Amino acid sequence: QVQPVESGGGLGQPGGSLRLSCAPSGSIFSIWAVGWYRQAPGKQREFVADMTSDGKISYGDSVKGRFTISRDNAKNTVYLQMNNLKPEDTAVYYCSEKYSDYDYWGQGTQVTVSS
């Protein structure tokens, strides 16, 4: 099954930090973009961040200035560094491998932010 694998979810404190990792099934350079999305209970799926194979980065408005997407080419891994966490960041976070005409999704990792 072609599927990225997320890791690093868990419990974070308000104002604290967590780092998520995504191991895509394909090479970072063969994927149009690797992205992070999240979905909280009762809410629609929300765009968080993505990075194209040539390094272009986009962020959702709700995480700008707090989250950073990066990659380690040698490890073929994409990271989401989450700083200054807020309770509203609580959600299941999904990694996606995006191609021009199809994409693949991971199973998600739960992030909970609470005191």
Side-chain angles (χ1 to χ4, degrees):
Q1 184 72 27
V2 178
Q3 187 176 38
V5 179
E6 306 99 334
S7 61
L11 177 64
Q13 304 297 320
S17 299
L18 287 172
R19 189 179 74 165
L20 307 182
S21 299
C22 174
S25 61
S27 169
I28 290 174
F29 297 101
S30 69
I31 304 169
W32 186 81
V34 176
W36 289 97
Y37 290 76
R38 67 187 185 186
Q39 188 165 26
K43 295 185 178 180
Q44 294 181 307
R45 188 182 66 182
E46 178 186 19
F47 170 74
V48 175
D50 66 11
M51 176 182 287
T52 64
S53 59
D54 61 354
K56 292 184 178 180
I57 295 172
S58 297
Y59 293 102
D61 289 341
S62 63
V63 305
K64 286 181 179 178
R66 299 190 299 119
F67 291 9
T68 302
I69 189 170
S70 63
R71 70 188 186 197
D72 185 325
N73 295 336
K75 296 181 179 179
N76 199 51
T77 300
V78 175
Y79 302 99
L80 183 69
Q81 179 68 43
M82 305 185 294
N83 296 328
N84 192 23
L85 288 166
K86 302 177 180 180
E88 52 263 43
D89 294 323
T90 296
V92 177
Y93 284 71
Y94 298 92
C95 181
S96 67
E97 298 178 53
K98 301 179 180 180
Y99 300 87
S100 60
D101 54 355
Y102 58 93
D103 57 16
Y104 298 97
W105 293 85
Q107 294 184 348
T109 184
Q110 176 71 48
V111 171
T112 302
V113 182
S114 65
S115 300

